[in-house]
Each structure stands twice: as C-alpha cells, then as structure tokens.
Amino acid sequence: QVQLVESGGGLVQAGGSLRLSCAVSGGTFSSYAMGWFRQAPGKEREVVATISRRGGITYYGDSVKGPFTISRDNAKNTVYLKMNSPTPEDTAVYSCAAHSQFYSPSRPAGRYAYWGQGTQVTVSS
C-alpha cells in the first residue's frame, strides 16, 4: 500500500538548479528514513543522499560533488532533493526510497523496502 511518487525532473542547464520531490502515501511517513538514488544508462545505481526520520541526520554519496541538499517535510509527507549547479554527469533517473528500520546513513539501495518509479533528470552543457 505504500506508494512513492517522484516529480520535478526535467531538462536543466549546467549551473542551474532543480528540486525533486517525492510524495509518500499509504504509510506513516515519519516512520521512514528516506533516500535518493540515481542510475544513468550503462552505470550502476548509486546513492545520492539519505535522511533520517526527523531530518536531523543527512548523508551524501561519494558521487555527489556539487551542493545538493536533501530535506523533508513530515507535515507534507514529502522528501526533497535540491540540485544546485548540476553538471551533465548528474544526468540520470532519480528515484526515492524508504525504509522503516534504524537509520544508517550509507544503507545500500537493496535494503530499502519501498521505491518510486523514478524521474528523469537531464543536465545540458
């Protein structure tokens, strides 16, 4: 019954900004730690950022080189990923994911229980 729906993807120029949103329904959002992952054609899925249940702890993957920011609004059942100054190397399908267990900042993708369908982000140069 838990559903995650991403939005906000699209085409953005390098040096611009973009904000992705992930709306969660069918569960108790505040009980979920959340993560953003991405996968580009021909590449493995990688972690972008994760955030604890209350938003007090965040983690960013080694692949994130720019000023990306993960945040959440538990009143809106939504987690966000703000992408500032992205580069073409950030082009990928971005997916959000959730799990209800103890927060581990670097928890691998395979250990997240719920996933959205993803949203395409294309960064042009």
Side-chain angles (χ1 to χ4, degrees):
Q1 293 293 104
V2 179
Q3 185 175 8
L4 285 65
V5 180
E6 302 95 338
S7 62
L11 178 65
V12 62
Q13 288 186 306
S17 65
L18 194 68
R19 189 181 74 165
L20 307 182
S21 299
C22 175
V24 180
S25 62
T28 304
F29 181 70
S30 61
S31 72
Y32 302 139
M34 301 295 299
W36 283 99
F37 297 83
R38 67 187 182 187
Q39 186 168 27
K43 297 182 179 179
E44 296 183 352
R45 182 169 54 189
E46 59 188 8
V47 61
V48 178
T50 65
I51 188 167
S52 61
R53 297 178 181 183
R54 296 182 181 273
I57 307 172
T58 58
Y59 167 84
Y60 297 91
D62 293 339
S63 64
V64 178
K65 300 179 180 180
F68 289 10
T69 302
I70 187 171
S71 62
R72 67 190 296 162
D73 187 340
N74 284 1
K76 297 181 178 180
N77 291 354
T78 302
V79 63
Y80 305 95
L81 180 69
K82 181 67 178 298
M83 304 171 61
N84 290 323
S85 300
T87 70
E89 288 69 37
D90 296 311
T91 295
V93 174
Y94 285 70
S95 301
C96 65
H99 73 84
S100 60
Q101 298 182 346
F102 184 82
Y103 177 67
S104 297
S106 59
R107 180 184 296 271
R111 296 185 181 180
Y112 280 77
Y114 309 107
W115 288 83
Q117 296 285 20
T119 184
Q120 176 71 46
V121 173
T122 302
V123 183
S124 65
S125 60

